[in-house]
Amino acid sequence: MERLGMITIGQAPRTDVAPIIERYLENRAELVQVGVLDGMTKEYVEEHLFPEADDYVLTSRLVTGESVVMSREKIQPILQRKIDELEEMGIKQILLLCTGVFPGLTTKASYLIEPDHIIPPAVKAMVGGRRFGVIVPLPEQKANLKPKYTPFGLDPVFAVASPYKNDPAGYEAAAIELKGKVDIILLDCMGYTEEARELAVKASGLPVILSNAIMAKLVSEMI
């Protein structure tokens, strides 16, 4: 059976998101999961990988269910090593389970599937000239993520709700904040689930796009 590598910037396995990917794979490929933070404690991450001033801020999930905040600049060398490890295992296609921007990641022969290269143009095709809203996990990410949409003529309105807190009211509040300002909403993190999408739809009455579902569908077509 073919294998699909999946790298989370948190810890593997991602029991929250992996089922969405596997549903689209339909048993045509084995999902091999690794995490940038595998083997690390929350305390270690907070001490060694926490963002400094002006760092690009990211968040993800530990196997304990806890969330952590980290610096892209600090985790990118670890992420590159995880890519190298999957290549050494003979895995030909590797999905990065993060919608953040990581300049300069490389592979020798495998194909690295980076959501930040795929989601903005795909969303532009769906949004067209309509008003566009984006829900992100952290307030700091409003400034971080806006530039990836600008080349596609998109000027998103942002709201914040973390996928890593058990807080349905947070999704509803973010969706209501965007209601009346936008015509379509993107959940811009691979950690959001179908439950989050449904809550946002119900609260806003608008179409809501789930990033990991887009990626799962596209990746499944490559297997």
Side-chain angles (χ1 to χ4, degrees):
M1 179 183 289
E2 190 166 346
R3 295 180 294 171
L4 171 66
M6 185 175 82
I7 306 176
T8 172
I9 62 167
Q11 291 181 338
R14 285 296 298 269
T15 55
D16 54 337
V17 176
I20 297 172
I21 309 294
E22 290 174 328
R23 182 168 73 243
Y24 284 95
L25 290 177
E26 298 178 327
N27 296 317
R28 287 180 284 115
E30 176 190 357
L31 192 62
V32 179
Q33 301 186 53
V34 298
V36 167
L37 305 183
D38 286 353
M40 300 181 193
T41 63
K42 184 175 184 180
E43 292 72 25
Y44 180 91
V45 174
E46 290 173 343
E47 182 177 351
H48 296 280
L49 302 177
F50 197 78
E52 309 291 339
D54 299 323
D55 278 359
Y56 187 104
V57 179
L58 298 163
T59 185
S60 194
R61 180 180 185 270
L62 305 180
V63 289
T64 59
E66 299 171 290
S67 64
V68 288
V69 175
M70 68 205 98
S71 158
R72 176 186 68 185
E73 289 75 7
K74 293 180 180 179
I75 71 162
Q76 183 150 337
I78 309 170
L79 173 57
Q80 183 62 60
R81 290 200 296 272
K82 297 292 180 176
I83 294 169
D84 296 342
E85 289 171 12
L86 288 175
E87 277 212 278
E88 289 166 7
M89 293 169 60
I91 293 175
K92 301 300 183 186
Q93 298 191 81
I94 300 169
L95 170 64
L96 176 57
L97 196 70
C98 181
T99 61
V101 179
F102 289 89
L105 295 175
T106 62
T107 58
K108 297 180 182 68
S110 299
Y111 180 55
L112 180 64
I113 306 161
E114 298 181 70
D116 77 285
H117 293 177
I118 295 169
I119 290 174
V123 167
K124 173 60 179 176
M126 289 186 275
V127 170
R130 292 180 289 176
R131 297 172 300 170
F132 176 46
V134 177
I135 296 178
V136 295
L138 299 171
E140 302 93 320
Q141 292 179 307
K142 294 180 182 181
N144 285 348
L145 294 176
K146 189 169 185 175
K148 74 178 182 181
Y149 295 108
T150 304
F152 300 95
L154 294 168
D155 185 21
V157 179
F158 286 93
V160 177
S162 174
Y164 303 121
K165 295 178 181 177
N166 185 18
D167 182 22
Y171 297 127
E172 293 168 354
I176 290 169
E177 181 182 338
L178 293 174
K179 186 177 181 179
K181 300 177 183 177
V182 305
D183 303 305
I184 189 167
I185 296 171
L186 171 70
L187 299 179
D188 193 359
C189 175
M190 295 293 272
Y192 292 114
T193 62
E194 181 60 33
E195 179 185 8
R197 193 192 73 81
E198 290 172 359
L199 286 167
V201 168
K202 185 175 180 181
S204 67
L206 297 171
V208 178
I209 304 167
L210 187 60
S211 290
N212 55 38
I214 291 178
M215 294 308 303
K217 178 61 176 173
L218 291 173
V219 170
S220 73
E221 296 297 323
M222 299 167 62
I223 300 296

Short mmCIF file of all heavy atoms in Angstrom, two decimals, residues 59-95:
data_model
loop_
_atom_site.label_atom_id
_atom_site.label_comp_id
_atom_site.label_asym_id
_atom_site.label_seq_id
_atom_site.Cartn_x
_atom_site.Cartn_y
_atom_site.Cartn_z
N THR A 59 0.69 27.95 16.47
CA THR A 59 0.16 27.17 17.59
C THR A 59 -0.20 25.77 17.11
O THR A 59 -0.53 25.57 15.93
CB THR A 59 -1.07 27.86 18.22
OG1 THR A 59 -1.48 27.12 19.38
CG2 THR A 59 -2.24 27.93 17.25
N SER A 60 -0.12 24.80 18.01
CA SER A 60 -0.52 23.43 17.67
C SER A 60 -0.87 22.68 18.94
O SER A 60 -0.97 23.27 20.03
CB SER A 60 0.58 22.71 16.88
OG SER A 60 0.05 21.52 16.30
N ARG A 61 -1.01 21.38 18.79
CA ARG A 61 -1.58 20.53 19.83
C ARG A 61 -0.59 19.45 20.23
O ARG A 61 0.09 18.86 19.39
CB ARG A 61 -2.87 19.89 19.28
CG ARG A 61 -3.64 18.97 20.19
CD ARG A 61 -4.86 18.46 19.42
NE ARG A 61 -5.75 17.65 20.22
CZ ARG A 61 -5.67 16.34 20.34
NH1 ARG A 61 -4.70 15.68 19.71
NH2 ARG A 61 -6.53 15.66 21.08
N LEU A 62 -0.53 19.18 21.53
CA LEU A 62 0.24 18.06 22.05
C LEU A 62 -0.66 16.83 22.18
O LEU A 62 -1.89 16.94 22.14
CB LEU A 62 0.84 18.42 23.42
CG LEU A 62 1.70 19.69 23.49
CD1 LEU A 62 2.21 19.90 24.91
CD2 LEU A 62 2.85 19.63 22.50
N VAL A 63 -0.06 15.65 22.36
CA VAL A 63 -0.87 14.43 22.48
C VAL A 63 -1.72 14.45 23.75
O VAL A 63 -2.70 13.71 23.85
CB VAL A 63 0.02 13.16 22.45
CG1 VAL A 63 0.58 12.95 21.06
CG2 VAL A 63 1.12 13.23 23.49
N THR A 64 -1.37 15.30 24.69
CA THR A 64 -2.16 15.45 25.91
C THR A 64 -3.45 16.23 25.66
O THR A 64 -4.32 16.29 26.53
CB THR A 64 -1.36 16.20 26.99
OG1 THR A 64 -0.99 17.49 26.47
CG2 THR A 64 -0.11 15.43 27.39
N GLY A 65 -3.56 16.85 24.48
CA GLY A 65 -4.69 17.70 24.17
C GLY A 65 -4.42 19.16 24.48
O GLY A 65 -5.22 20.04 24.12
N GLU A 66 -3.31 19.45 25.14
CA GLU A 66 -2.95 20.84 25.45
C GLU A 66 -2.44 21.54 24.19
O GLU A 66 -1.89 20.91 23.29
CB GLU A 66 -1.86 20.87 26.52
CG GLU A 66 -2.24 20.24 27.84
CD GLU A 66 -1.04 20.14 28.76
OE1 GLU A 66 -0.15 19.31 28.47
OE2 GLU A 66 -1.00 20.88 29.75
N SER A 67 -2.61 22.85 24.17
CA SER A 67 -2.08 23.63 23.06
C SER A 67 -0.81 24.35 23.49
O SER A 67 -0.59 24.62 24.67
CB SER A 67 -3.11 24.67 22.58
OG SER A 67 -3.38 25.61 23.60
N VAL A 68 0.05 24.62 22.51
CA VAL A 68 1.29 25.36 22.75
C VAL A 68 1.45 26.41 21.66
O VAL A 68 0.94 26.26 20.55
CB VAL A 68 2.52 24.43 22.76
CG1 VAL A 68 2.55 23.57 24.01
CG2 VAL A 68 2.59 23.56 21.51
N VAL A 69 2.17 27.47 22.01
CA VAL A 69 2.49 28.53 21.07
C VAL A 69 3.99 28.49 20.82
O VAL A 69 4.77 28.29 21.76
CB VAL A 69 2.07 29.90 21.63
CG1 VAL A 69 2.51 31.04 20.70
CG2 VAL A 69 0.56 29.95 21.83
N MET A 70 4.39 28.65 19.56
CA MET A 70 5.81 28.51 19.23
C MET A 70 6.21 29.45 18.11
O MET A 70 5.37 30.02 17.41
CB MET A 70 6.12 27.05 18.87
CG MET A 70 5.49 26.60 17.57
SD MET A 70 5.24 24.83 17.47
CE MET A 70 3.51 24.74 17.94
N SER A 71 7.51 29.57 17.93
CA SER A 71 8.10 30.42 16.90
C SER A 71 8.41 29.61 15.66
O SER A 71 9.05 28.56 15.74
CB SER A 71 9.39 31.04 17.45
OG SER A 71 10.25 31.45 16.41
N ARG A 72 7.98 30.11 14.50
CA ARG A 72 8.34 29.44 13.24
C ARG A 72 9.86 29.39 13.09
O ARG A 72 10.41 28.36 12.67
CB ARG A 72 7.73 30.19 12.06
CG ARG A 72 8.14 29.60 10.69
CD ARG A 72 7.65 30.43 9.54
NE ARG A 72 8.31 31.73 9.47
CZ ARG A 72 7.97 32.68 8.60
NH1 ARG A 72 6.98 32.49 7.75
NH2 ARG A 72 8.60 33.84 8.58
N GLU A 73 10.51 30.48 13.41
CA GLU A 73 11.96 30.55 13.24
C GLU A 73 12.67 29.49 14.06
O GLU A 73 13.71 28.95 13.64
CB GLU A 73 12.44 31.95 13.63
CG GLU A 73 12.06 33.05 12.64
CD GLU A 73 10.59 33.48 12.70
OE1 GLU A 73 9.84 33.03 13.61
OE2 GLU A 73 10.16 34.25 11.83
N LYS A 74 12.12 29.14 15.21
CA LYS A 74 12.75 28.15 16.09
C LYS A 74 12.42 26.71 15.70
O LYS A 74 13.23 25.80 15.91
CB LYS A 74 12.37 28.41 17.54
CG LYS A 74 12.94 29.71 18.09
CD LYS A 74 12.53 29.94 19.53
CE LYS A 74 13.13 31.25 20.06
NZ LYS A 74 12.74 31.53 21.46
N ILE A 75 11.21 26.49 15.15
CA ILE A 75 10.84 25.11 14.83
C ILE A 75 11.20 24.70 13.42
O ILE A 75 11.23 23.50 13.11
CB ILE A 75 9.34 24.83 15.08
CG1 ILE A 75 8.46 25.54 14.02
CG2 ILE A 75 8.93 25.18 16.50
CD1 ILE A 75 7.06 24.98 13.94
N GLN A 76 11.48 25.66 12.52
CA GLN A 76 11.69 25.28 11.11
C GLN A 76 12.85 24.30 10.92
O GLN A 76 12.71 23.36 10.12
CB GLN A 76 11.87 26.51 10.22
CG GLN A 76 12.01 26.14 8.75
CD GLN A 76 11.49 27.18 7.79
OE1 GLN A 76 10.65 28.02 8.14
NE2 GLN A 76 11.97 27.16 6.56
N PRO A 77 13.99 24.43 11.62
CA PRO A 77 15.04 23.42 11.45
C PRO A 77 14.59 22.02 11.87
O PRO A 77 14.99 21.02 11.25
CB PRO A 77 16.17 23.93 12.35
CG PRO A 77 15.92 25.39 12.48
CD PRO A 77 14.43 25.54 12.48
N ILE A 78 13.76 21.95 12.90
CA ILE A 78 13.23 20.64 13.34
C ILE A 78 12.28 20.09 12.28
O ILE A 78 12.30 18.90 11.95
CB ILE A 78 12.51 20.77 14.70
CG1 ILE A 78 13.39 21.47 15.72
CG2 ILE A 78 12.10 19.38 15.21
CD1 ILE A 78 12.66 21.84 17.01
N LEU A 79 11.44 20.96 11.75
CA LEU A 79 10.51 20.55 10.69
C LEU A 79 11.26 20.00 9.49
O LEU A 79 10.88 18.97 8.92
CB LEU A 79 9.64 21.75 10.29
CG LEU A 79 8.72 21.57 9.08
CD1 LEU A 79 7.77 20.40 9.28
CD2 LEU A 79 7.95 22.87 8.83
N GLN A 80 12.34 20.66 9.09
CA GLN A 80 13.13 20.17 7.96
C GLN A 80 13.70 18.79 8.24
O GLN A 80 13.71 17.92 7.36
CB GLN A 80 14.25 21.15 7.63
CG GLN A 80 15.08 20.76 6.41
CD GLN A 80 14.27 20.70 5.13
OE1 GLN A 80 13.69 21.68 4.70
NE2 GLN A 80 14.22 19.51 4.51
N ARG A 81 14.13 18.54 9.47
CA ARG A 81 14.65 17.21 9.82
C ARG A 81 13.55 16.15 9.73
O ARG A 81 13.82 15.01 9.31
CB ARG A 81 15.25 17.23 11.24
CG ARG A 81 16.55 18.02 11.33
CD ARG A 81 17.36 17.64 12.55
NE ARG A 81 16.69 17.94 13.81
CZ ARG A 81 16.78 19.12 14.44
NH1 ARG A 81 17.48 20.12 13.91
NH2 ARG A 81 16.17 19.31 15.59
N LYS A 82 12.33 16.50 10.12
CA LYS A 82 11.22 15.55 10.02
C LYS A 82 10.92 15.22 8.55
O LYS A 82 10.62 14.06 8.21
CB LYS A 82 9.97 16.12 10.70
CG LYS A 82 10.12 16.35 12.19
CD LYS A 82 10.25 15.04 12.95
CE LYS A 82 10.40 15.29 14.45
NZ LYS A 82 10.43 14.03 15.22
N ILE A 83 11.00 16.21 7.69
CA ILE A 83 10.84 15.96 6.25
C ILE A 83 11.91 14.99 5.76
O ILE A 83 11.62 14.03 5.04
CB ILE A 83 10.90 17.29 5.47
CG1 ILE A 83 9.71 18.18 5.82
CG2 ILE A 83 10.96 17.04 3.95
CD1 ILE A 83 9.83 19.60 5.31
N ASP A 84 13.15 15.24 6.17
CA ASP A 84 14.26 14.39 5.76
C ASP A 84 14.05 12.95 6.24
O ASP A 84 14.33 11.99 5.51
CB ASP A 84 15.58 14.93 6.31
CG ASP A 84 15.94 16.31 5.75
OD1 ASP A 84 15.37 16.69 4.71
OD2 ASP A 84 16.79 16.99 6.36
N GLU A 85 13.56 12.80 7.47
CA GLU A 85 13.33 11.46 8.03
C GLU A 85 12.28 10.69 7.22
O GLU A 85 12.45 9.49 6.95
CB GLU A 85 12.88 11.58 9.49
CG GLU A 85 13.98 12.02 10.45
CD GLU A 85 13.45 12.33 11.84
OE1 GLU A 85 12.27 11.98 12.13
OE2 GLU A 85 14.19 12.94 12.64
N LEU A 86 11.20 11.37 6.84
CA LEU A 86 10.17 10.70 6.05
C LEU A 86 10.71 10.32 4.67
O LEU A 86 10.38 9.24 4.15
CB LEU A 86 8.93 11.59 5.91
CG LEU A 86 8.08 11.75 7.18
CD1 LEU A 86 6.96 12.75 6.94
CD2 LEU A 86 7.50 10.42 7.63
N GLU A 87 11.53 11.18 4.09
CA GLU A 87 12.16 10.83 2.81
C GLU A 87 13.03 9.59 2.95
O GLU A 87 13.03 8.71 2.08
CB GLU A 87 12.99 12.00 2.30
CG GLU A 87 12.20 13.05 1.57
CD GLU A 87 13.00 13.71 0.48
OE1 GLU A 87 13.78 14.63 0.81
OE2 GLU A 87 12.84 13.34 -0.70
N GLU A 88 13.78 9.52 4.04
CA GLU A 88 14.66 8.37 4.27
C GLU A 88 13.86 7.08 4.44
O GLU A 88 14.37 5.98 4.17
CB GLU A 88 15.54 8.62 5.50
CG GLU A 88 16.62 9.68 5.25
CD GLU A 88 17.27 10.16 6.54
OE1 GLU A 88 16.98 9.59 7.61
OE2 GLU A 88 18.05 11.15 6.47
N MET A 89 12.60 7.20 4.86
CA MET A 89 11.72 6.04 4.99
C MET A 89 11.14 5.61 3.64
O MET A 89 10.42 4.61 3.56
CB MET A 89 10.57 6.36 5.95
CG MET A 89 11.00 6.56 7.39
SD MET A 89 9.65 7.24 8.42
CE MET A 89 8.39 5.95 8.25
N GLY A 90 11.44 6.39 2.59
CA GLY A 90 10.94 6.04 1.26
C GLY A 90 9.57 6.59 0.95
O GLY A 90 8.94 6.18 -0.05
N ILE A 91 9.09 7.54 1.75
CA ILE A 91 7.77 8.12 1.52
C ILE A 91 7.88 9.20 0.45
O ILE A 91 8.70 10.11 0.54
CB ILE A 91 7.19 8.67 2.83
CG1 ILE A 91 6.91 7.49 3.77
CG2 ILE A 91 5.92 9.49 2.58
CD1 ILE A 91 6.45 7.87 5.15
N LYS A 92 7.06 9.07 -0.58
CA LYS A 92 7.18 9.92 -1.77
C LYS A 92 6.33 11.18 -1.71
O LYS A 92 6.61 12.16 -2.42
CB LYS A 92 6.80 9.13 -3.02
CG LYS A 92 7.65 7.89 -3.25
CD LYS A 92 9.13 8.24 -3.40
CE LYS A 92 9.97 7.01 -3.70
NZ LYS A 92 11.43 7.33 -3.69
N GLN A 93 5.27 11.18 -0.91
CA GLN A 93 4.41 12.36 -0.78
C GLN A 93 4.25 12.70 0.69
O GLN A 93 3.90 11.83 1.50
CB GLN A 93 3.05 12.12 -1.43
CG GLN A 93 3.16 11.84 -2.92
CD GLN A 93 1.82 11.85 -3.61
OE1 GLN A 93 1.28 12.90 -3.93
NE2 GLN A 93 1.27 10.67 -3.84
N ILE A 94 4.50 13.98 1.01
CA ILE A 94 4.50 14.42 2.41
C ILE A 94 3.60 15.64 2.53
O ILE A 94 3.80 16.65 1.85
CB ILE A 94 5.93 14.78 2.87
CG1 ILE A 94 6.86 13.57 2.73
CG2 ILE A 94 5.93 15.31 4.30
CD1 ILE A 94 8.34 13.92 2.90
N LEU A 95 2.59 15.54 3.40
CA LEU A 95 1.67 16.64 3.65
C LEU A 95 2.08 17.38 4.91
O LEU A 95 2.24 16.77 5.98
CB LEU A 95 0.24 16.11 3.81
CG LEU A 95 -0.82 17.11 4.30
CD1 LEU A 95 -1.01 18.24 3.29
CD2 LEU A 95 -2.14 16.40 4.57
#
